[in-house]
């Protein structure tokens, strides 16, 4: 276990934990002021490949089977899905979809999911687990991003300078915590003591997903909430 992960676990779970890390995958249990929780996720910027996705899915199912209703704390520090030819040939997208389905099963069985982003949070490494949580928080050092601007410039053929200019006004293009907070995808970084912040998040009643509305309120996503309402039929009378 890296010193960074050990320090994070100590700050989140001062009452004790039995969390282990192997090849960047975190699994175990811990005690909080809100009760016992299951802990799983990624650490050290681990890339999520076929084996990791299957291991995480299996851990979710084990918690559902052995500890009905136990809250799940998801730790996030991943550089994304592992983009090797082997993973693609084996159908990594299907394994990630299976992980997402297991997470949704846990939610429907009454498991509260709280994600804590501590490092990188990128693409397929975080979407089927961390960003499917009921609440998604961050600590100091969190750096969520989708694609670096130089890589985006190569893909879109737009000049890097133009993308840098756009990222200053559009949170959709801006990597980093501030941009994701404006989008409504994350809450502002927790201040210590982290254990108290986590206990409060675990005790908070689960409500409807307000990320689109938060993005509108924070000026990061101006159309998502309105489009979602129309797709759901809430604004059926609008032209």
């Amino acid at each position: 276990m890296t010193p960074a992960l050990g320090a994070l676990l100590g700050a989140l779970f001062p009452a004790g934990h039995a969390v282990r890390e192997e090849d960047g995958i975190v699994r175990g249990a811990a005690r909080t002021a809100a009760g016992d929780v299951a802990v799983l996720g990624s650490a050290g910027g681990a890339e999520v490949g076929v084996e990791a996705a299957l291991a995480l899915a299996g851990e979710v199912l084990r918690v559902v089977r052995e500890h009905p209703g136990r809250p799940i704390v998801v730790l996030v520090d991943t550089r994304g899905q592992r983009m090797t030819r082997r993973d693609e040939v084996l159908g990594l997208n299907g394994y990630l979809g299976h992980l997402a389905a297991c997470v949704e099963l846990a939610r429907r069985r009454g498991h509260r999911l709280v994600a804590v982003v501590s490092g990188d949070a990128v693409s397929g490494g975080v979407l089927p687990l961390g960003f499917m949580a009921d609440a998604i928080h961050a600590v100091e050092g969190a750096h969520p991003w989708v694609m670096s601007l130089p890589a985006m410039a190569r893909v879109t053929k737009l000049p890097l300078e133009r993308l840098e200019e756009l990222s200053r006004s559009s949170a959709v293009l801006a990597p980093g915590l501030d941009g994701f907070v404006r989008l409504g995808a994350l809450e502002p970084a927790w201040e210590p003591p982290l254990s108290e912040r986590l206990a409060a998040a675990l005790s908070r009643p689960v409500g409807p997903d307000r990320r689109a509305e938060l993005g509108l309120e924070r000026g990061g996503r101006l159309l998502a909430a309105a489009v979602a309402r129309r797709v759901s039929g809430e604004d059926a009378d609008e032209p």
Side-chain angles (χ1 to χ4, degrees):
M1 182 180 298
T2 65
L5 176 59
L8 177 63
L9 292 171
L12 289 172
F13 310 116
H17 69 83
V19 178
R20 65 190 187 279
E21 180 267 329
E22 184 178 358
D23 296 329
I25 300 304
V26 177
R27 287 174 276 192
R31 182 168 298 169
T32 75
D36 291 343
V37 298
V39 182
L40 65 152
S42 53
E47 295 179 345
V48 179
V50 165
E51 293 83 3
L54 199 58
L56 288 169
E59 185 67 9
V60 173
L61 294 178
R62 186 192 68 79
V63 173
V64 172
R65 182 177 63 252
E66 299 180 6
H67 304 285
R70 174 175 286 186
I72 300 174
V73 175
V74 180
L75 303 183
V76 177
D77 184 0
T78 171
R79 291 187 296 271
Q81 72 271 28
R82 192 170 63 198
M83 293 185 289
T84 66
R85 179 174 296 180
R86 174 180 177 275
D87 285 284
E88 293 299 321
V89 169
L90 288 174
L92 177 57
N93 61 316
Y95 286 83
L96 294 175
H98 172 61
L99 173 56
C102 292
V103 171
E104 181 59 20
L105 171 67
R107 190 197 322 278
R108 295 189 182 193
R109 293 288 181 88
H111 294 263
R112 179 72 183 274
L113 290 108
V114 174
V116 181
V117 181
S118 63
D120 288 322
V122 187
S123 193
V126 64
L127 290 175
L129 183 59
F131 279 0
M132 281 189 64
D134 300 308
I136 309 164
H137 300 277
V139 299
E140 184 180 357
H143 184 66
W145 51 286
V146 176
M147 182 181 290
S148 68
L149 293 182
M152 199 179 298
R154 291 193 296 271
V155 172
T156 63
K157 311 303 181 185
L158 292 172
L160 176 60
E161 295 75 13
R162 176 57 174 157
L163 290 175
E164 290 174 339
E165 177 186 352
L166 290 172
S167 71
R168 287 190 284 271
S169 59
S170 173
V172 174
L173 295 174
L177 180 59
D178 290 344
F180 275 68
V181 170
R182 288 182 60 202
L183 290 172
L186 282 169
E187 292 303 309
W190 279 344
E191 296 287 340
L194 299 186
S195 59
E196 293 184 7
R197 304 291 176 265
L198 177 60
L202 290 167
S203 301
R204 195 170 297 122
V206 177
D209 188 342
R210 294 195 65 250
R211 281 176 281 189
E213 287 81 2
L214 289 173
L216 177 61
E217 293 170 9
R218 297 169 182 173
R221 299 171 69 191
L222 304 182
L223 299 176
V227 170
R229 286 196 297 270
R230 295 192 66 180
V231 169
S232 67
E234 294 180 30
D235 293 339
D237 295 334
E238 289 190 4

